[in-house]
Structures are given as C-alpha cells and as structure tokens.
Amino acid sequence: MKSETIENRDTILKEKTSTLVAVIQAVPSLLVPLFALFFLAFALLYASSAIFEFIKPIISEGDLTGGLVKGLHMGVVALAVYELAQVVHQEYDKSGKPSDAIRRIRRGVTRFASIVFVALVLESLIMVIKYSQQDLAGFLYYPVAIIVSAALLLMSLGVFIKLSSSDTMEECT
C-alpha cells in the first residue's frame, strides 16, 4: 500500500517537474522576440526623431551645426538601442536554448560596450564643438571627463576580453 502511494507521488512529482521545465523553456521563445521587437521599435523611433531633430533647427533658425549636433546625438542613441535589440535577439539560437555562455557574454558585452564607447566619444566631441562655438571654454572639463570615462571603459573592456579569453579560462580550470 505504501509503495503504491510513493510511486503515485513520484509520478505526480515528475509530471509537475516536466510541466515546469516546459514552461521555463517556452518563456524565452516568447519573451526574447518580444524584447527584441520592443527595443527595435524604440530604435526606429529614435532614428526618426534624429531626422526630425536634424531638420528642425535648419528650417526654423537656419542653424546647420545645431541640426547636426542634435541629429547626431539622437542618432547615436538610436544606434545604441538598435545594438541592444540585436544583442537580445541573438541571445538565444533558433531552438531557444542558450548557446555557449562565455562566448555569448563576451560577444554581447564587447558589442554593447563598443557602442557605449562610441556614444561617449561622440557626445564629448559634440560638447567640445558646442562650447567652442559659444566661447564657453571654462566648461571644457565636462567633455574631458567624458573622454577619460570612455578611455577607462575601453581599458576595462580590454581587461575583460583578456581575462575571459579561452587561454585564460583554460589556465583557471
């Protein structure tokens, strides 16, 4: 009598576990495309806003430089959000299972940090141009701080890539 109860309990537990595993495996196949689509939609909104921000100062004030600065700023944000959408989409292969975790993380972090690095450098260059046109040389320490931050990010990325390389990973194991 007790053995039948234990067998029934084990069967019920296995069914619940298999149901839970099926749900956990189904969620990424639904959420990953939704998140990728969400970020892609925002990237397209930012890109269209970049075009608008570029044209608006030119039409209203005839300020080509102001339009370039504003349009470039929004374009860089659009590029960063688009890159995030790509990273989210490529997070899982077609089967919905994670690929090689270390390689995937290295590729995603490298791509995203590269976009952030470019955005920081472009933002600092935009600030230098803006401050030099308005004779605000006293405010140039802001873009210098951004460039130093970008340099630290680039060095940190290099250390991350070196420490997560296959040679280093084999030495640790």
Side-chain angles (χ1 to χ4, degrees):
M1 183 77 166
K2 284 186 177 182
S3 64
E4 288 179 9
T5 307
I6 292 173
E7 288 175 7
N8 287 339
R9 189 180 69 195
D10 288 343
T11 305
I12 292 170
L13 184 62
K14 286 179 184 178
E15 288 174 0
K16 287 181 180 180
T17 305
S18 64
T19 304
L20 180 62
V21 168
V23 168
I24 289 173
Q25 289 175 348
V27 168
S29 64
L30 176 67
L31 288 183
V32 169
L34 285 177
F35 279 124
L37 185 62
F38 175 76
F39 288 125
L40 181 62
F42 271 106
L44 293 173
L45 286 172
Y46 274 121
S48 61
S49 178
I51 293 169
F52 180 73
E53 289 294 325
F54 170 69
I55 293 173
K56 188 172 82 169
I58 295 172
I59 292 175
S60 65
E61 303 164 8
D63 185 16
L64 178 65
T65 307
L68 285 172
V69 168
K70 289 181 181 179
L72 184 62
H73 177 71
M74 291 298 289
V76 168
V77 173
L79 180 63
V81 175
Y82 175 74
E83 184 64 31
L84 185 60
Q86 272 191 326
V87 168
V88 168
H89 176 69
Q90 293 173 352
E91 182 73 19
Y92 290 88
D93 60 6
K94 303 297 182 215
S95 65
K97 297 178 183 174
S99 60
D100 180 26
I102 299 296
R103 195 178 87 241
R104 183 173 37 91
I105 290 170
R106 279 186 66 205
R107 185 177 58 230
V109 167
T110 302
R111 288 173 67 182
F112 188 71
S114 298
I115 295 297
V116 170
F117 173 75
V118 169
L120 286 172
V121 170
L122 285 175
E123 184 68 27
S124 65
L125 291 175
I126 289 169
M127 290 174 75
V128 167
I129 292 168
K130 188 177 181 180
Y131 292 154
S132 66
Q133 286 180 345
Q134 298 175 354
D135 292 328
L136 298 172
F139 292 106
L140 286 177
Y141 56 89
Y142 291 123
V144 169
I146 293 173
I147 289 174
V148 169
S149 300
L152 288 173
L153 174 67
L154 188 60
M155 288 187 289
S156 300
L157 180 62
V159 169
F160 172 76
I161 289 172
K162 176 64 179 165
L163 291 177
S164 65
S165 69
S166 59
D167 297 337
T168 307
M169 297 299 282
E170 288 174 3
E171 291 174 5
C172 293
T173 57

